[in-house]
Amino acid sequence: MYKFTATIVAVILLSINLKARAFEIEDRKIFEAASVADAGSVTGIGLSELKIISSTDLNYFEPLVRQYQLQNPNVTVDYTVASTAEMFKAIHAEQQPFDLVISSAMDLQMKLVNDGFGKSYLSTQTAQLPSWAKWRDLLFAFSQEPAVVIASAKGMDDLSIPNNRQELITLLRENPDRFRGKIGTYDLRVSGAGYLFATQDVRQSDAFWRLAEVIGSLSPKLYCCSSNMIDDLESGELLLAYNVFGSYAAAGLSEQQDGQIVPMLDFTHLMLRTAMIPKYSDNHLNAGGFIDFLLSDSGKALLSSDAQLPPIQSEPVTESPHLQPIRLGPGLLVYLDQLKRKRFLEQWTDAMIR
Amino acid sequence: MSPTLQKSGSLRRRLLLQLLLAAALLSTFMYLSVRAVAEKAAEATHNNILGASATSIVEQLRSSNGEIVVDIPYSAFSMLGSISDDQVFYRIESDRETLTGYEDLPLPDATLEIDDPHYYTARYKSVVIRATAVRRVIPIAGKPKSVIVAVAQTRFGQDAIASGVANTAALLGVGFFILTGLLSWIATNNTVKPIRTVAEKITRRGPQDLRPLDHPVPQELQTLVDSLNGFIGRLRGTLRRTETFIADAAHHVRTPLAIVRTRAEIALRHAEGDDARQMLRSVIRAVDESSRSATQLLEHATVSYRSDQVSHETFDVSLMLQDVMGVHEATAELKDLVIHADVVQAVSLSGDRVLIESAVHNLLDNAIKYSEPDQHIDVTLQTDGADCLISICDLGRGLAGKSQADLTQRFERGSNVTDVVGSGLGLTIVEEVAHLHQGSFEILPRTGGGTCTSLRLPLSR
């Protein structure tokens, strides 16, 4: 029997391994190698470490880490959670010795590898990824998560459910009083994911700016995170939320019936959660093994069941043409340009905040 | 045997080696040029896209409220991503101040023409990059201001194309080399073939064949064949002079011998006493032998002489055979020999009648000489396909173990014939005649004692 003696230790006490740190971390947990726990003593023979820095909350990833350790009992996993921006700082500016960077911020991940911070990794698992789900054996996507609109069924009862952005704009224009103060969306100034979704929307269609104008006129509530929007929709504070992580929505809305996902059939972007191995990694083989695990059948099964993160599948993308994965590539760097970002946020603020 | 010549290499090998060397050089040249051209093409494509990317950024430059507004279009970078998975770097600067992008991205040293993309290669972040820079002047608060947009890309995609092309080019080169090698081999063989043909022609000739080579040869071999023909001519001349000398000598010896014989016979008729008669008989015998030798030397010289210019008349072999048998009939009767003739009638043959007659004379003469009295000789003439076969068989003393090759040597005689007059030239003459007519001569012991000689001659040439 495997005995997991994973211990949560105060973050502050455990910063020995890390360099003098300037980036902020939100959570940290060390999953000790099973063989250490069984033997009761640290012999150090055959043991190795895997230091993951991730933007994904611990509770989503814990089952995955445990399953990985079942297959790799000699690996101690050190899982650190930070915001995407802080993670970028940790790797790009501070070059912290992490072995694996898992982030939902595709653009920042892309910039990390573009600026030469990635270490290439090639395996049979990564070779099977569709071309849009990896970039040059440096960056690998393992989940595809749609940006969705969620709405309260009770609040929308007599209204027709919009199927695309044009219908959504019309709906909001025709019922301003009902939606005033009841619309939630990301605050692009603080949320990387929100910024990525918005910039991709702009790239796809002019409707985004008209939608922003309409939402802006209805005193929207701005959020940092998807989960807060989902919570507020459940509590009745919101009638509608735009560009929510579909994976979180599916998880948060499943238990109660009120909130529902409204599919946007004109286009729905799929954000790819990606992993990259920093070139300063000391345990890049473990990191590669973890990527392979995420892409393996057992990893995929756990991703969709326990972590509620839909694994990469090339078929649904071809079957449902409105699902469009955001392609990994240098195009993502454009909206990271400081001047571009400044201009975009100015435009967005003009439209959204009155 | 002829002395072994020292070889100074092989023409064929030398030619083949040189052609193969040329093929290898050409293949390498082709490999390098295909690579160079393909790399140029790949670089041109990458340059064009880099240029388009930088230009699309430049097109979005404008001024607003006294500030430069940079609005990089999404396509500027995504178009770079569409042709290869290369890292992309950019830098936008004005007045040596980076407005946005990678501050340490190297810019070209050259002064940039306005709106004309300048392409350059540099090192950045310890990799080689291909970059382009475009300069544009935009008015800021009424004053012109120069802005430089640089876009760079790593060269992995280009290198991947280059290595792909290099592999194809290498395959092409090897294929080209194999093909050229094969063609070289064929060409070499074809070139060397006339030399071999001439050599074979010469080898196939009989030892007496001293005609000049008249086979058409390539220009380059003309000199060689001309000198060879000159040499053959000189050889023939020498041989002719020798034969003429022998014929003259034989002729000059024969006449006095005839006189000596006549005198000796007269002396024998008048001689008294057994010793004197015995002595005179041996003198006559010696003179006969010498006379016969002289005759055959003369005949042999004739054969040798005629071998240069064999005449081709068509005549009936059976009639000729009858004539020869007629000549020898008297001699045979002296020994009580019977000649059985089994001759097919009217066999027409094209050849040198004098020579063939001489050969048959010799054969029949031998048969009569080496037969015992009261025996018989079988003469047959048959046709066998395109040949005619003249066989003369006796029941005489046989070959005494000597082989045909021994017996047809000049002046070589059987070991059991010392009591019979002979020169050792007869069979040599027969052999040479057979040879001159592309026929063959065989001499074999006859089963039950005796010898069978057969002369096989083609009916037409």
Side-chain angles (χ1 to χ4, degrees), chain B residues 311-328:
Chain B
S311 70
H312 291 287
E313 48 186 313
T314 307
F315 62 96
D316 190 335
V317 189
S318 55
L319 290 179
M320 183 213 74
L321 213 53
Q322 302 286 1
D323 289 350
V324 176
M325 285 191 292
V327 170
H328 287 271

Side-chain angles (χ1 to χ4, degrees), chain A residues 131-203:
Chain A
S131 64
W132 49 265
K134 67 176 167 187
W135 194 76
R136 258 188 58 193
D137 301 324
L138 288 169
L139 189 59
F140 310 96
F142 62 90
S143 82
Q144 49 185 46
E145 299 158 46
V148 298
V149 172
I150 54 171
S152 155
K154 270 183 281 177
M156 298 279 289
D157 58 350
D158 57 333
L159 299 173
S160 63
I161 302 295
N163 271 327
N164 56 45
R165 283 167 183 76
Q166 196 51 54
E167 285 177 20
L168 179 63
I169 290 168
T170 312
L171 179 77
L172 295 181
R173 276 198 181 135
E174 285 171 359
N175 306 281
D177 294 331
R178 184 169 326 187
F179 286 104
R180 195 177 309 280
K182 295 272 193 181
I183 302 174
T185 191
Y186 272 117
D187 185 345
L188 304 195
R189 295 165 299 184
V190 298
S191 164
Y195 181 73
L196 178 65
F197 284 145
T199 53
Q200 291 295 324
D201 280 357
V202 168
R203 199 167 81 75

Side-chain angles (χ1 to χ4, degrees), chain A residues 330-331 334, chain B residues 45-61 70-83 88-92 117 119 130-134 149-153:
Chain A
V334 169
Chain B
T45 312
H46 276 76
N47 277 353
N48 285 344
I49 294 174
L50 268 179
S53 168
T55 307
S56 73
I57 297 172
V58 165
E59 294 298 333
Q60 297 294 319
L61 289 176
V70 180
D71 187 7
I72 303 170
Y74 198 81
S75 60
F77 292 169
S78 64
M79 72 168 83
L80 294 174
S82 67
I83 59 157
V88 172
F89 309 107
Y90 67 101
R91 176 178 174 183
I92 300 170
Y119 299 98
R130 185 76 190 151
T132 183
V134 187
V149 172
V151 178
Q153 208 180 10

Side-chain angles (χ1 to χ4, degrees), chain B residues 238-254:
Chain B
T238 314
L239 209 64
R240 172 103 39 95
R241 276 197 298 282
T242 315
E243 301 287 356
T244 313
F245 172 75
I246 294 169
D248 284 354
H251 183 71
H252 283 293
V253 166
R254 238 166 28 148

Side-chain angles (χ1 to χ4, degrees), chain A residues 114-115 136 203 337 340, chain B residues 71-72 85 88 90 100 102:
Chain A
N114 186 65
D115 290 4
R136 258 188 58 193
R203 199 167 81 75
D337 180 77
K340 184 90 177 172
Chain B
D71 187 7
I72 303 170
D85 278 351
V88 172
Y90 67 101
T100 186
Y102 294 76

